[in-house]
């Protein structure tokens, strides 16, 4: 009788340990897959690998809500460097000056890029 009870207790403990390990592995696997998915999508969509997708989407939503962008925001919006932005200005990209600050309209950027590509 005692051996049966001990065996039953051992089986329950083993079952609990197995279930706990499965849950831990499942959470770790989900975390690893989320990280890998973020990295893969980031590379495919051209996002910075230093940011997770939530930050990238938040930044994207910030851009879509704003019509007027400063120089850095314009570079980020288009996905180009400052020097490349200067080349676009030289090619005719319009902007408004507020003091020494330049502001670019997203509508104008999109229109300009469509015409350059056409």
């Amino acid at each position: 009788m005692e051996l049966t009870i001990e065996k039953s207790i051992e089986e329950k403990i083993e079952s609990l340990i197995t279930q706990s390990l499965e849950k831990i592995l499942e959470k770790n696997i989900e975390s690893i897959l989320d990280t890998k998915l973020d990295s893969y999508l980031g590379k495919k969509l051209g996002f910075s690998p230093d940011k997770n997708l939530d930050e990238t989407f938040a930044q994207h939503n910030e851009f879509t809500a704003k019509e007027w962008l400063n120089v850095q925001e314009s570079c980020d919006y288009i996905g180009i460097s400052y020097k490349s932005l200067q080349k676009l200005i030289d090619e005719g990209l319009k902007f408004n000056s507020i003091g020494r600050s330049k502001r670019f309209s997203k509508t104008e950027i999109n229109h300009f890029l469509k015409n350059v590509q056409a």
Side-chain angles (χ1 to χ4, degrees), residues 58-71:
Q59 182 182 21
H60 175 71
N61 289 338
E62 178 185 324
F63 283 139
T64 55
K66 279 175 92 170
E67 173 60 25
W68 291 93
L69 307 173
N70 65 27
V71 171

Side-chain angles (χ1 to χ4, degrees), residues 42-105:
K43 287 176 185 171
K44 284 291 183 189
L45 299 174
F47 297 137
S48 169
D50 299 334
K51 300 177 184 176
N52 67 29
L53 286 181
D54 291 336
E55 291 174 27
T56 303
F57 288 134
Q59 182 182 21
H60 175 71
N61 289 338
E62 178 185 324
F63 283 139
T64 55
K66 279 175 92 170
E67 173 60 25
W68 291 93
L69 307 173
N70 65 27
V71 171
Q72 184 59 54
E73 291 168 335
S74 298
C75 290
D76 292 342
Y77 179 70
I78 302 170
I80 60 175
S81 68
Y82 177 76
K83 284 184 178 183
S84 295
L85 182 65
Q86 285 298 121
K87 289 178 185 176
L88 293 180
I89 292 169
D90 293 342
E91 292 175 18
L93 177 62
K94 296 176 186 170
F95 62 91
N96 287 330
S97 292
I98 304 171
R100 294 181 353 177
S101 175
K102 294 177 183 169
R103 294 287 186 255
F104 298 84
S105 163

Side-chain angles (χ1 to χ4, degrees), residues 99-114:
R100 294 181 353 177
S101 175
K102 294 177 183 169
R103 294 287 186 255
F104 298 84
S105 163
K106 284 195 308 183
T107 304
E108 175 59 29
I109 291 171
N110 293 336
H111 177 75
F112 180 81
L113 292 176
K114 282 180 188 175

Side-chain angles (χ1 to χ4, degrees), residues 6-18:
E6 284 181 25
K7 185 155 179 99
S8 176
I9 291 173
E10 283 179 17
E11 288 173 355
K12 286 220 181 240
I13 290 173
E14 187 176 315
S15 173
L16 288 172
I17 290 172
T18 302

Side-chain angles (χ1 to χ4, degrees), residues 15-25:
S15 173
L16 288 172
I17 290 172
T18 302
Q19 288 174 0
S20 296
L21 287 174
E22 285 174 352
K23 285 181 182 178
I24 290 169
L25 285 172

